[in-house]
Amino acid sequence: MSQAIIEVNQLTKQFKAKTAVHKADFKIAKGEIFGLIGQNGAGKSTLLKMIGGLMYPSSGEIHLFNHAVSDNHAYFERMGLLIEDAGLLPHYSAYENLDLIAISYGLKGRKKHINELLKLVGLDESNKTKVKNYSMGMKQRLGIAVALMGSPDVLILDEPINGLDPQGISEVRKLILQLNKTGMTIIISSHILEELSKVATKYAILHEGEVIEINSKEELQLKCEERIEVEVDEARMAIPILEEQLNIKNYKVISDGTVYVYDTHIENHQITKVLVENGISVHSILKHKQSLEQYFLKRTGSEVDSHD
Amino acid sequence: MINLFKMDLHRFKNNRIMYLLLFIYAAFQIFGIFMMSQYPVEQGGIPVSAMNASEFIQSVLSQTPSWVLMYVAVFSVYFYMSEYNTGFYKNYISMKNARMYSVLSKILILGLFVLLMLTTMVIADLIGRSIFFGNTAIGDVGFFIKLLVGQFLLHWAFSIVVLCIAMITKNLIASLVIGLVLGLNVPGMIVGAVESLISDLNVSSYLLVNTITSIKDLNNMGDVIHVAGVAVIFILLFSFIAVRYKLKEDLK
């Protein structure tokens, strides 16, 4: 695994009586797309605001680029933020908004840089329209352009697809993947796991302020894959029968008595029938199938087990 | 700091509300002088039409509600809240020392607005007095400059107080109302009334708005020190509070 450029240790944020984030721990490596998933009010935005330097933790530490930010806030400079709404002046055009940010960064050759960013987010045609007349999708894309203005190493996107139509979602997704290809580390939060799964390489599930699970993309896929879990006396006896009589090619022997079958065209009763006919006792047979969304809901205690 | 100031200055220059406020103020000021010419009044035994520029400005500023303070309050709240409510600050606040510099930059911009406001007042007064009183006398130039510098510092201090209120309340309406109540000198009147009931103290004369609205003899060193002292203390104190608050603030 490559070196972690963001490390969060026991991070907590308390608002009077409410704990918004409770002892969050995780690491993000360079080049990752880190998906933060949680229901509304789970504490995603608060956590991102602390990582982005907008809010101060009540306790715990944030390390950015191997330095504790409590010692030096300058490391927040290397983060580009799009948290909650894009911070845009509605009576200014996209170009003017970006120009103001460019002035605050003291950038030389502002015009060229701004035009490049507008082109990158696909707003070069409407750069003179006032932001108040923009659609939600255009505002989100402009928000990403603003976040990219300081050429950050890390891009933090909080619910970037909120309120977008399918086309807008697709455009933002493409943009995120495009930016990640340049080596940029991206933290993206959403309450729509299905959409997040199309971009993220690592996931943290946040529930009631606590990080309850962190998975790599592969781990999550494994947990959500469609398969039939067969428990028998001896798996080695069952395999040739399944291969020969049901033409099952895609399977995995998990233990002496457990086989996972991935050929999803086969039905449970077919497997049970051939095994029993060949004198093999079947202890249990389960179809494991759950969408990412169902998995998330199960982990956050919002839905019952989805095994058939 | 310079970059953030340049950004705020850019926003300031392109701010139509600012030009509108200055224009409306100038129009009302000239109209006010017209009304004075229709219904002649005296102050301190001198007819308003016979006053020189210094006396006229002191006379105008001493009448509560002070319209200059009202405009300063409105602009101070507007300039800060228009950025705060849109969340525009999120785009630059992660830069090194940006929290402190953004407050200092806004304080400088407010100083610029106060300067423009007082310049507008002086020009509108000159135009109005010239047209309706046929009087453009400035009087003692040294006194006039001391008056303008003193009033500039006092009004700037007032704008910083209002900025602080806007930052802390985070609410446009609440900060406007508080700013206008301060401009009406309600706290000054309350403190003055309580003071007169319980002791011979004269603390209320050192309050900011009381100092702005009271007529001073700026040829008297005591009055100059009073004005400069109050202005500098309020500027430093409330700038410090504003910066400290921003440094500790959890941003939305």
Side-chain angles (χ1 to χ4, degrees):
Chain A
M1 186 182 159
S2 54
Q3 198 182 21
I5 57 170
I6 297 174
E7 192 175 338
V8 164
N9 297 325
Q10 296 287 294
L11 201 65
T12 299
K13 183 67 186 178
Q14 184 91 32
F15 294 111
K16 291 180 184 164
K18 194 192 170 201
T19 305
V21 176
H22 184 65
K23 294 186 176 177
D25 278 305
F26 55 83
K27 290 178 183 178
I28 302 173
K30 183 171 168 45
E32 274 184 344
I33 302 182
F34 187 83
L36 195 58
I37 182 99
Q39 294 161 329
N40 291 331
K44 302 186 295 292
S45 298
T46 306
L47 183 54
L48 293 181
K49 282 175 189 173
M50 287 192 281
I51 297 172
L54 296 180
M55 274 187 182
Y56 295 104
S58 304
S59 63
E61 274 217 332
I62 302 169
H63 284 80
L64 298 179
F65 312 101
N66 297 315
H67 295 87
V69 288
S70 51
D71 301 333
N72 190 350
H73 281 239
Y75 291 102
F76 287 122
E77 276 190 10
R78 294 165 66 180
M79 322 287 274
L81 313 179
L82 171 56
I83 294 184
E84 290 175 346
D85 303 322
L88 303 167
L89 296 172
H91 296 286
Y92 283 63
S93 67
Y95 186 93
E96 288 165 337
N97 266 285
L98 288 170
D99 196 34
L100 278 178
I101 308 298
I103 293 170
S104 75
Y105 278 94
L107 294 182
K108 305 277 181 221
R110 301 200 307 261
K111 193 173 177 183
K112 186 171 173 275
H113 190 48
I114 292 169
N115 286 330
E116 281 170 1
L117 283 175
L118 285 169
K119 197 170 177 188
L120 179 72
V121 298
L123 289 174
D124 45 336
E125 297 291 319
S126 46
N127 66 350
K128 287 187 179 132
T129 310
K130 285 188 176 173
V131 167
K132 65 178 178 179
N133 297 321
Y134 271 20
S135 67
M136 182 69 91
M138 290 165 87
K139 281 182 189 166
Q140 290 296 75
R141 279 186 283 151
L142 180 56
I144 294 175
V146 169
L148 292 171
M149 179 55 82
S151 307
D153 295 308
V154 178
L155 185 62
I156 297 179
L157 304 173
D158 184 19
E159 306 272 7
I161 56 166
N162 247 11
L164 301 190
D165 57 19
Q167 193 188 340
I169 292 173
S170 164
E171 284 169 0
V172 169
R173 190 196 311 137
K174 276 182 203 160
L175 185 58
I176 289 167
L177 292 171
Q178 190 183 342
L179 290 168
N180 183 244
K181 275 183 190 165
T182 65
M184 187 178 283
T185 307
I186 298 171
I187 308 176
I188 178 169
S189 82
S190 180
H191 59 274
I192 308 167
L193 184 53
E194 213 66 59
E195 191 50 47
L196 205 57
S197 70
K198 292 174 184 165
V199 290
T201 56
K202 194 174 178 183
Y203 304 82
I205 298 178
L206 195 64
H207 182 55
E208 293 177 353
E210 292 189 45
V211 176
I212 56 171
E213 190 171 304
I214 296 175
N215 290 306
S216 68
K217 186 170 190 164
E218 294 72 29
E219 286 168 336
L220 194 65
Q221 277 171 347
L222 194 68
K223 286 174 181 172
C224 296
E225 69 191 354
E226 189 175 351
R227 63 178 183 250
I228 298 168
E229 297 173 1
V230 187
E231 284 193 22
V232 290
D233 281 336
E234 287 186 77
R236 65 184 176 83
M237 302 286 285
I239 294 300
I241 299 165
L242 295 174
E243 282 181 343
E244 284 166 25
Q245 298 192 25
L246 293 173
N247 198 26
I248 289 172
K249 298 269 190 293
N250 196 1
Y251 61 85
K252 194 187 280 177
V253 178
I254 303 300
S255 66
D256 288 348
T258 309
V259 182
Y260 284 180
V261 176
Y262 298 102
D263 284 337
T264 51
H265 63 282
I266 304 292
E267 294 297 329
N268 290 14
H269 66 86
Q270 290 175 281
I271 294 175
T272 311
K273 188 170 177 244
V274 294
L275 291 177
V276 170
E277 280 173 359
N278 286 278
I280 295 172
S281 303
V282 178
H283 300 307
S284 78
I285 183 160
L286 283 173
K287 186 163 247 180
H288 178 278
K289 182 187 178 186
Q290 62 184 342
S291 68
L292 292 168
E293 210 67 44
Q294 284 170 322
Y295 177 72
F296 164 66
L297 291 172
K298 198 168 75 177
R299 290 297 289 124
T300 56
S302 309
E303 195 179 79
V304 290
D305 199 316
S306 62
H307 273 103
D308 290 346
Chain B
M1 166 74 192
I2 290 173
N3 291 329
L4 284 179
F5 177 69
K6 277 185 190 169
M7 182 195 74
D8 275 334
L9 186 63
H10 198 276
R11 205 158 67 82
F12 178 72
K13 284 190 296 187
N14 291 304
N15 190 330
R16 286 185 196 153
I17 294 283
M18 188 260 293
Y19 297 109
L20 187 69
L21 284 174
L22 293 176
F23 177 77
I24 293 172
Y25 176 76
F28 271 98
Q29 189 68 0
I30 292 170
F31 178 72
I33 296 170
F34 165 71
M35 294 304 287
M36 286 180 208
S37 71
Q38 299 300 303
Y39 306 99
V41 285
E42 287 186 359
Q43 195 160 30
I46 308 170
V48 172
S49 59
M51 286 178 174
N52 63 33
S54 302
E55 291 164 339
F56 186 78
I57 287 170
Q58 291 227 61
S59 156
V60 167
L61 292 176
S62 68
Q63 293 162 21
T64 50
S66 164
W67 289 106
V68 180
L69 289 181
M70 298 290 176
Y71 283 82
V72 168
V74 169
F75 181 79
S76 303
V77 172
Y78 171 78
F79 193 72
Y80 179 76
M81 294 306 292
S82 62
E83 183 187 89
Y84 185 81
N85 283 340
T86 57
F88 188 75
Y89 60 86
K90 286 188 283 193
N91 303 318
Y92 62 78
I93 210 75
S94 53
M95 281 192 289
K96 194 178 178 184
N97 297 326
R99 287 178 181 243
M100 177 171 66
Y101 292 156
S102 74
V103 175
L104 295 178
S105 158
K106 283 178 182 58
I107 287 172
L108 289 177
I109 293 293
L110 293 181
L112 200 56
F113 178 74
V114 169
L115 192 65
L116 283 175
M117 196 73 210
L118 292 181
T119 307
T120 305
M121 180 185 74
V122 169
I123 293 169
D125 285 352
L126 273 174
I127 293 170
R129 287 169 59 235
S130 149
I131 295 172
F132 302 113
F133 297 158
N135 175 8
T136 53
I138 288 177
D140 179 4
V141 175
F143 185 97
F144 185 64
I145 290 169
K146 276 190 275 185
L147 173 71
L148 290 183
V149 171
Q151 286 299 337
F152 165 72
L153 291 175
L154 290 167
H155 281 81
W156 189 19
F158 178 77
S159 71
I160 298 169
V161 173
V162 177
L163 173 70
C164 252
I165 292 164
M167 284 172 66
I168 293 167
T169 62
K170 299 180 176 68
N171 184 298
L172 182 80
I173 305 294
S175 40
L176 267 179
V177 169
I178 297 170
L180 296 180
V181 166
L182 289 180
L184 286 165
N185 198 22
V186 175
M189 288 189 278
I190 293 170
V191 174
V194 172
E195 210 173 54
S196 65
L197 287 174
I198 59 172
S199 71
D200 293 332
L201 279 173
N202 193 18
V203 178
S204 63
S205 69
Y206 293 94
L207 294 176
L208 182 62
V209 180
N210 267 348
T211 308
I212 290 172
T213 54
S214 60
I215 293 174
K216 301 281 180 208
D217 177 8
L218 295 174
N219 286 325
N220 176 344
M221 189 49 78
D223 278 3
V224 172
I225 292 171
H226 181 161
V227 168
V230 169
V232 169
I233 286 170
F234 272 83
I235 288 171
L236 292 179
L237 178 65
F238 282 88
S239 297
F240 177 75
I241 293 171
V243 169
R244 285 292 299 170
Y245 185 82
K246 186 55 86 180
L247 286 174
K248 300 277 177 196
E249 186 183 17
D250 275 334
L251 296 163
K252 66 172 185 175

